[in-house]
Amino acid sequence: MGASAKSHEELQQVTVLFCGDSGDGIQLSGTQLSTTSALFGNDVSTLPDYPSEIRAPAGSLAGVSAFQVHFASHEIHTPGDNPDVLVAMNPASLKVNLPRLRRGGTIICDEDAFNERNVAKADYPANPLQDTQLSSTYRLHAVPISSLTLKALEALDLKHAAKRRCKNFFALGLVYWLYARPLEQSLAWIEDKFAGNPLVAEANQRALQAGYHYGETSEAFAVQWSIPRATVEPGTYRMINGNEALALGLVTAARLAGKALVY
């Protein structure tokens, strides 16, 4: 039997928040969604959110990393207010960022990470995925992301830990399907990024495609949304954040002034 027919709906804008442990590739996932959406033709604004501590204990509230992406079919000026979608890779990231999610929004979480140990680290009295109030307030999708990633990569001669590190691309692929994002940009980026390690490149590409395919075939995701291209003035555009803009400004000023730059 094939997957049931999916319905397609059009939105004018959406805000997605990726969050997880500081080693979960959250910033990478957010950057890839931003770049793909910009190249697709949407206006984009982002808000990276780094942990307040350097390498806080794994699974702790202090170690949560997040990246918010707002993309739209029209001009936007902020990274969004309350996200429409929260992608949480562990219990701590869910607890820290759930208050930001709009009521009725979508939660996609790695069900495999919600074990007794991680739930306790996040100061939950019990597994929040089993809380009926959570599932009644939001559209909750508990997906075994880690397990599905390992299954998609089982034929590759890579260590278990290396395969698990690809789970962020599985989650990204699922979001790509959810909002009809093309895979080509990220597939090419992965190939270039891991040019020196073709096996790792293939693993990440397979994980991305597996996440997309999961959205396409899972009955849990019955609706796929699309966001039309924005109308923008012709010209050359750059994807840039505040840190990059500051660095470019400092280097340019130092060069024009003929001064050495100390930062």
Side-chain angles (χ1 to χ4, degrees):
M1 292 179 63
S4 57
K6 308 280 188 174
S7 63
H8 297 264
E9 298 178 9
E10 185 175 288
L11 299 174
Q12 298 308 308
Q13 61 182 357
V14 69
T15 301
V16 178
L17 176 62
F18 292 97
C19 56
D21 210 25
S22 57
D24 283 341
I26 298 303
Q27 304 301 318
L28 191 157
S29 296
T31 301
Q32 283 300 301
L33 178 59
S34 305
T35 304
T36 290
S37 297
L39 290 174
F40 179 77
N42 298 130
D43 198 11
V44 178
S45 182
T46 67
L47 179 63
D49 183 6
Y50 301 97
S52 58
E53 300 181 26
I54 298 175
R55 276 294 182 183
S60 67
L61 298 174
V64 172
S65 173
F67 196 110
Q68 186 162 307
V69 184
H70 181 197
F71 53 100
S73 63
H74 51 82
E75 189 174 6
I76 55 176
H77 303 283
T78 74
D81 295 319
N82 300 103
D84 302 292
V85 180
L86 176 63
V87 182
M89 301 301 284
N90 64 3
S93 61
L94 177 66
K95 185 164 192 176
V96 169
N97 291 289
L98 185 60
R100 298 167 63 178
L101 184 65
R102 70 169 178 82
R103 189 176 183 87
T106 299
I107 300 171
I108 299 172
C109 58
D110 183 2
E111 184 179 19
D112 295 322
F114 284 72
N115 54 45
E116 187 176 344
R117 185 165 178 250
N118 287 340
V119 166
K121 279 185 179 181
D123 293 332
Y124 276 117
N127 190 336
L129 301 185
Q130 298 169 2
D131 184 351
T132 55
Q133 184 176 355
L134 187 69
S135 57
S136 62
T137 307
Y138 306 98
R139 287 178 288 186
L140 176 62
H141 297 281
V143 180
I145 292 175
S146 294
S147 299
L148 290 171
T149 301
L150 292 173
K151 184 173 178 59
L153 307 182
E154 60 186 358
L156 296 182
D157 186 20
L158 276 176
K159 291 183 178 179
H160 181 86
K163 292 178 180 179
R164 282 184 63 88
R165 282 196 291 271
C166 300
K167 64 184 179 180
N168 63 314
F169 278 107
F170 186 100
L172 179 63
L174 177 53
V175 172
Y176 275 10
W177 178 84
L178 202 60
Y179 292 105
R181 309 283 89 185
L183 297 178
E184 286 74 18
Q185 186 279 139
S186 287
L187 291 172
W189 181 90
I190 291 169
E191 186 171 354
D192 181 64
K193 173 71 174 177
F194 300 103
N197 197 332
L199 197 56
V200 172
E202 184 179 355
N204 283 306
Q205 288 175 327
R206 285 194 186 189
L208 180 72
Q209 292 167 322
Y212 190 96
H213 182 67
Y214 180 82
E216 199 169 41
T217 58
S218 171
E219 293 184 2
F221 295 90
V223 181
Q224 183 184 46
W225 290 278
S226 62
I227 293 85
R229 290 174 170 84
T231 302
V232 296
E233 293 295 324
T236 302
Y237 292 83
R238 178 196 292 267
M239 281 282 293
I240 193 168
N241 62 35
N243 287 338
E244 292 169 345
L246 175 62
L248 287 173
L250 289 171
V251 170
T252 302
R255 185 174 180 85
L256 290 174
K259 300 289 186 180
L261 175 63
V262 178
Y263 173 66

